[in-house]
Amino acid sequence: MKNINLVHIGTFGNPLGLKGEIKINMHTLNLDSFNSLSPYLKEDGKTYWVFSKLNLRSNKFIGKLEGCDSRNCVENLKGKKIYTSRKNLPKTKKNQFYVSDLIGCKIKTLNNKLLGNIVNIDNFGAGDLINVQKQKGKSFYIPMNNENIVKIDIKKKIVQVKPIKGILD
C-alpha cells in the first residue's frame, strides 16, 4: 500500500543482544532528526512503533520497543520500515527536496528524451547519486550536482538533466 502522507524514515536491522534491542538504519540526518519525527508509524499509517529507548552506540542507531524485552520479540522486525507523517517534516527551502518526493520522477534530457524514472537516491560516500531505471534494460546513476541536474519540477514529477560525458554512453 502506498500512502503519500507517510515518509519512510528508517528500517529495522538486526537484533542486538538478548534484551530486545535492534539496530535501526535511519534515513534521517542524525538521531536528533529521527527523534523529532515522532510518532513513528507502521506501513498502515495507523499503528505506532513505540520506543522505550533510542540511542547511538558505537556509530550504530539502536532502538528498544516498549514491552519488548527479548531477542525473540524483535527477530521478526528485520526489514520492516518505520514511517512518519509528512506533516512532521520541516518545510524544505528552495532547491531542497525529500528523497520521497524525487522517487518516481521522470528523468528527461534537455531535448525532452525520456531516460527513465528515479527509483532511489543513493550515497556511497562521494555524494548523492540518482538511481535511474530505464524503460528497458539496466538502471544507471547520475550524480546529483549542478553539472548534471538542470531543473527539478516536483509538481510535474520531472527532473531535467544534462549528464556529463560518459554517463549515457
Side-chain angles (χ1 to χ4, degrees):
M1 178 182 107
K2 183 167 176 146
N3 184 336
I4 60 171
N5 294 317
L6 295 181
V7 177
H8 179 205
I9 59 169
T11 305
F12 287 108
N14 290 321
L16 297 171
L18 301 173
K19 296 183 180 179
E21 293 181 322
I22 189 165
K23 182 179 176 187
I24 299 173
N25 301 311
M26 294 193 192
H27 302 300
T28 60
L29 188 59
N30 54 40
L31 184 59
D32 290 336
S33 297
F34 189 85
N35 282 331
S36 72
L37 298 174
S38 177
Y40 310 106
L41 300 165
K42 295 182 181 181
E43 189 172 355
D44 64 10
K46 299 173 186 168
T47 316
Y48 297 89
W49 299 110
V50 180
F51 292 95
S52 60
K53 185 170 33 171
L54 282 169
N55 58 28
L56 181 64
R57 188 181 326 140
S58 302
N59 290 329
K60 294 180 186 171
F61 293 109
I62 309 298
K64 184 168 179 9
L65 291 167
E66 232 174 60
C68 199
D69 296 322
S70 72
R71 184 178 183 93
N72 290 342
C73 186
V74 293
E75 280 188 335
N76 294 328
L77 295 179
K78 183 177 179 179
K80 294 202 183 281
K81 296 178 180 179
I82 304 165
Y83 296 89
T84 193
S85 174
R86 180 171 282 283
K87 67 182 178 186
N88 292 337
L89 298 175
K91 297 272 187 221
T92 56
K93 297 176 185 169
K94 186 177 180 179
N95 294 323
Q96 284 185 333
F97 308 95
Y98 287 110
V99 169
S100 60
D101 293 333
L102 294 170
I103 292 175
C105 285
K106 294 182 183 321
I107 295 284
K108 292 187 173 186
T109 61
L110 289 175
N111 61 2
N112 224 19
K113 178 183 174 191
L114 178 65
L115 299 177
N117 294 318
I118 297 176
V119 293
N120 204 6
I121 306 296
D122 294 314
N123 189 318
F124 302 105
D128 291 332
L129 300 169
I130 299 173
N131 188 342
V132 180
Q133 179 62 55
K134 293 180 182 180
Q135 299 295 326
K136 295 179 184 172
K138 294 183 178 181
S139 64
F140 64 96
Y141 287 103
I142 296 176
M144 194 166 188
N145 57 34
N146 292 334
E147 290 179 73
N148 294 294
I149 308 300
V150 176
K151 181 180 177 186
I152 298 175
D153 188 333
I154 291 296
K155 289 181 182 173
K156 291 182 180 177
K157 301 288 279 176
I158 295 173
V159 176
Q160 195 172 37
V161 298
K162 183 181 176 187
I164 58 175
K165 187 175 181 178
I167 290 180
L168 299 179
D169 302 335

